[in-house]
Amino acid sequence: MAAVATCGTGVGSTGSMVAATSKNNVTSFQRKGPRASGTDSGCSRLVSIAGTRPSVRNGQLLVSTGLPALDQLLGGGLAVGTVLLIEEDKYNIYSSLLFKYFLAEGIINGHTLLVASAKEDPADILQELPAPLLDDNYKKDFDEDVCNHQTPDSNIKMKIAWRYQLLPKIESGPVSSSRFGHYYDASKRMPQELIEASKWHGFFFPEKLSSTLNIEPCSLTHGYRKLLQFIQKVIYEEGFDGSNPQKKQKNILRIGIQNLGSTLWGDDICCTENCDNSHSLTKFLYVLRGLLRTSLSACIITMPTHLIQNKAIIARVTNLSDTVVGLESFIGSERETNPLYKDYHGLIHIRQIPRLNNLIYDVSDVKDLAFKLKRKLFTIERLHLPPDLSDTVSRSSKQDLAESSKLLGPGCGMMAGGKQHLDF
């Protein structure tokens, strides 16, 4: 029986091809079925990279941030070749946790890591990564974690809050481990064998300082210049820029930079408003984005924007970042004791979402978001106002709650700004 090649035939096989066609009365111009395992490599499809998926909006390759709820808010995940800027909370508690989630997701998917810090040794940061929360083994623990943080009235369906019933829900629990993005147990550390099996590069800035520092005529600080050279070296030498076409197995480079812009990096933008190196940070981000755009890499940066004195620098940094997420912790503020925020640990602000291949960026339509750190999970939820106040609450307390609700976004603040409190 004559065999017909799928990728092309020579002159000698034309006769057998016509004979097979006339015998089976089937035209040769038909949709090809599933490819056999022994087909030529020249006709094979593009190999997908582990831990990635295409965007349903524009087909851009996405990676998970390590927090599925945040992936959902960002339009499906973090686009490859972009920068995610995390505005640190006041005490840098929750922003460092998001930083570790991003790195832990890379280890689970087998991605290459590049960890840069001027405060902690990258090896010590990897030792503090949270353990993966597998569905089959830890589903019971997740249910217990949710039950421990539920209030007695949380199981009662509030028909008065019709506004919240119409809004889409944000994923907060573990799903199939084969899906895009994983969940992590903040109370446990990642197994040592997973860390040892991963491939990572560390950049600890104090180790890069030499006793004889040569002042070069460059607009970048010494720390930023060294870090850019290190990132460029890893991208080029390991073929993340596509310069090595012989490399069949492609992978993603996850870059994590901690506390960028602080004085530990040799920058003075957090010390004075009229600093000498006001353009050093923005030029660093400009060059970094150029490296990311031409490579299979994604970057997360945590920055203490609340310490930057010059607000114009913050605006330029925001414009040079693709995605900007701000964390506002309640620790040490009046909101920590406010009954309106008793079930949450802080607010999360989606300040900027990239609109790829366009001149302007997208703006998230979700304004009222809050986060809380449970015993094991870091969750992002919609900030729900109390549905009702009992008669035992004093009039002054009601006024305080009404004033506090005005500080929220237009979603909650406008709803509670009428004459009657919480008039839905």
Side-chain angles (χ1 to χ4, degrees), residues 201-305:
H201 305 271
F203 181 91
F204 190 37
F205 179 57
E207 295 180 351
K208 304 297 180 180
L209 290 175
S210 58
S211 57
T212 58
L213 182 61
N214 297 325
I215 305 299
E216 301 178 1
C218 181
S219 58
L220 292 176
T221 62
H222 179 70
Y224 296 159
R225 186 172 63 253
K226 287 289 186 180
L227 179 56
L228 282 176
Q229 294 174 354
F230 184 79
I231 295 175
Q232 184 180 24
K233 179 181 178 181
V234 173
I235 290 178
Y236 291 166
E237 289 185 353
E238 301 197 9
F240 291 104
D241 60 336
S243 60
N244 187 7
Q246 304 299 328
K247 188 177 181 180
K248 297 181 179 180
Q249 185 66 30
K250 296 184 179 299
N251 201 358
I252 299 294
L253 175 64
R254 286 178 177 252
I255 304 174
I257 305 176
Q258 195 177 49
N259 305 122
L260 190 68
S262 64
T263 55
L264 297 175
W265 285 99
D267 206 334
D268 57 350
I269 59 175
C270 296
C271 302
T272 178
E273 183 175 357
N274 300 321
C275 51
D276 298 332
N277 301 321
S278 59
H279 298 284
S280 183
L281 178 60
T282 54
K283 290 183 178 180
F284 170 82
L285 292 175
Y286 185 82
V287 178
L288 176 63
R289 281 213 314 181
L291 292 174
L292 296 178
R293 290 292 194 268
T294 57
S295 62
L296 288 174
S297 56
C299 181
I300 182 174
I301 297 176
T302 65
M303 184 179 299
T305 54

Side-chain angles (χ1 to χ4, degrees), residues 376-391:
K376 295 183 178 181
L377 298 175
F378 181 92
T379 60
I380 300 176
E381 302 177 359
R382 297 183 185 275
L383 182 60
H384 290 190
L385 295 178
D388 193 10
L389 292 176
S390 62
D391 297 334

Side-chain angles (χ1 to χ4, degrees), residues 16-78:
S16 61
M17 185 175 180
V18 173
T21 302
S22 60
K23 181 178 180 180
N24 298 329
N25 196 19
V26 178
T27 178
S28 60
F29 299 97
Q30 58 182 348
R31 184 186 295 271
K32 296 179 180 180
R35 298 186 57 84
S37 59
T39 56
D40 189 6
S41 61
C43 298
S44 61
R45 298 178 180 178
L46 292 177
V47 180
S48 61
I49 304 177
T52 64
R53 69 177 178 187
S55 172
V56 295
R57 297 182 179 180
N58 49 30
Q60 178 73 29
L61 195 63
L62 302 177
V63 295
S64 175
T65 60
L67 197 61
L70 184 59
D71 294 338
Q72 182 180 354
L73 294 173
L74 300 182
L78 181 63

